[in-house]
């Protein structure tokens, strides 16, 4: 396959199309129709828009990423070996086995249970939060390093994805009862919404998510990625990690929690930010 070069002229054309109000999807379609390979077109769009269309993102900033050698089946994460079950490059998705022990899962559930309340979602217009019918779980947040278990897990995650502990939000614990779900959504904060600048002052954009399953439901409760046809079963101790270089649907990180059909599902979610999270 002939290599296609991303020239200054192409970058300028992308900027002009974006400034004229054309969507990323339409620009990508136009590039493909003109003969650009999809991978090259996506790289050009990501790099150019990161620098020009979304100044809230730091141009060229690395993303959280495990030091994963080609074909590796396991990673050492601070104090524990973690198995690599699935590895995808675009979008960047990893399914990991044994991130937490059975004892750690149970301890996390018991620490969180007394503090559960109906889960809320971010209000894009203000930067606040509210109960939303799309999210029918109960949840709570641990402050970062709130207790010894949180400290241990946070250190493990930081080592796993090569991202400083202080650039992570506190662990959020969620419980989904029978029928509960979280409809497909993105984890980044939409730059077009008026409440986003308020949210970003606490640590910049979210750039990656790690969801760890604290139990195994009897049926249902998978994490689904509709854009790529991926379904990750909820298995106690396992986790799914995904990163997103831009706050835009082109990252293909649309995901949701499928309804729990039998039993309940407990998860611990860790969101990683560009900068120190306060």
């Amino acid at each position: 396959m002939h290599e296609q070069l991303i020239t200054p002229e192409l970058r300028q054309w992308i900027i002009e199309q974006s400034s004229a109000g054309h969507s990323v999807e339409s620009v990508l379609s136009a590039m493909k129709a003109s003969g650009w390979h999809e991978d090259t077109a996506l790289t050009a769009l990501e790099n150019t828009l990161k620098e020009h269309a979304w100044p809230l993102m730091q141009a060229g900033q690395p993303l959280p990423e495990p030091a994963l050698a080609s074909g590796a089946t396991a990673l050492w994460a601070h104090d524990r070996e973690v198995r690599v079950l699935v590895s995808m490059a675009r979008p960047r998705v990893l399914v990991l086995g044994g991130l937490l022990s059975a004892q750690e899962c149970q301890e996390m559930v018991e620490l969180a249970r007394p503090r559960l309340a109906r889960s809320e979602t971010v209000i894009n217009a203000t930067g606040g939060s509210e109960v939303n019918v799309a999210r029918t779980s109960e949840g709570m947040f641990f402050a970062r390093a709130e207790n010894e278990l949180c400290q241990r897990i946070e250190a493990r995650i930081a080592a796993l994805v090569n991202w400083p502990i202080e650039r992570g939000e506190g662990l959020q614990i969620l419980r989904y009862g029978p029928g509960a779900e979280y409809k497909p959504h993105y984890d980044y904060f939409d730059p077009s919404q008026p409440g986003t600048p308020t949210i970003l002052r606490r640590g910049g954009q979210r750039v990656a998510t790690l969801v760890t399953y604290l139990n195994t439901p009897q049926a249902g409760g998978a994490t689904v990625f509709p854009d790529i046809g991926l379904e990750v079963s909820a298995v106690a101790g396992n986790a799914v990690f995904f990163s997103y270089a831009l706050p835009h649907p082109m990252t293909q990180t649309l995901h949701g929690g499928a309804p729990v059909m039998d039993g309940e599902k407990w998860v611990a979610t860790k969101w990683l930010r560009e900068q120190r999270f306060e």
Side-chain angles (χ1 to χ4, degrees), residues 134 176 180-185 221-224 255-260 265:
Y176 293 84
E181 64 179 322
Y182 194 0
K183 295 186 183 299
H185 60 282
T223 302
V224 296
H255 65 286
V260 175
K265 179 179 75 169

Side-chain angles (χ1 to χ4, degrees), residues 181-246:
E181 64 179 322
Y182 194 0
K183 295 186 183 299
H185 60 282
Y186 298 98
D187 281 352
Y188 57 73
F189 305 114
D190 187 345
S192 68
Q193 296 297 321
T196 294
T198 299
I199 300 170
L200 297 185
R201 282 198 286 269
R202 296 190 65 192
Q205 267 288 1
R206 286 176 177 166
V207 290
T209 301
L210 188 142
V211 177
T212 305
Y213 307 105
L214 302 179
N215 78 315
T216 304
Q218 276 70 45
T223 302
V224 296
F225 293 81
D227 288 349
I228 57 175
L230 177 64
E231 181 174 299
V232 181
S233 298
V235 176
N238 288 4
V240 58
F241 165 83
F242 53 99
S243 60
Y244 24 98
L246 293 170

Side-chain angles (χ1 to χ4, degrees), residues 248-264:
H248 192 275
M250 69 182 292
T251 58
Q252 297 182 297
T253 55
L254 184 71
H255 65 286
V260 175
M261 307 307 295
D262 188 13
E264 61 180 7

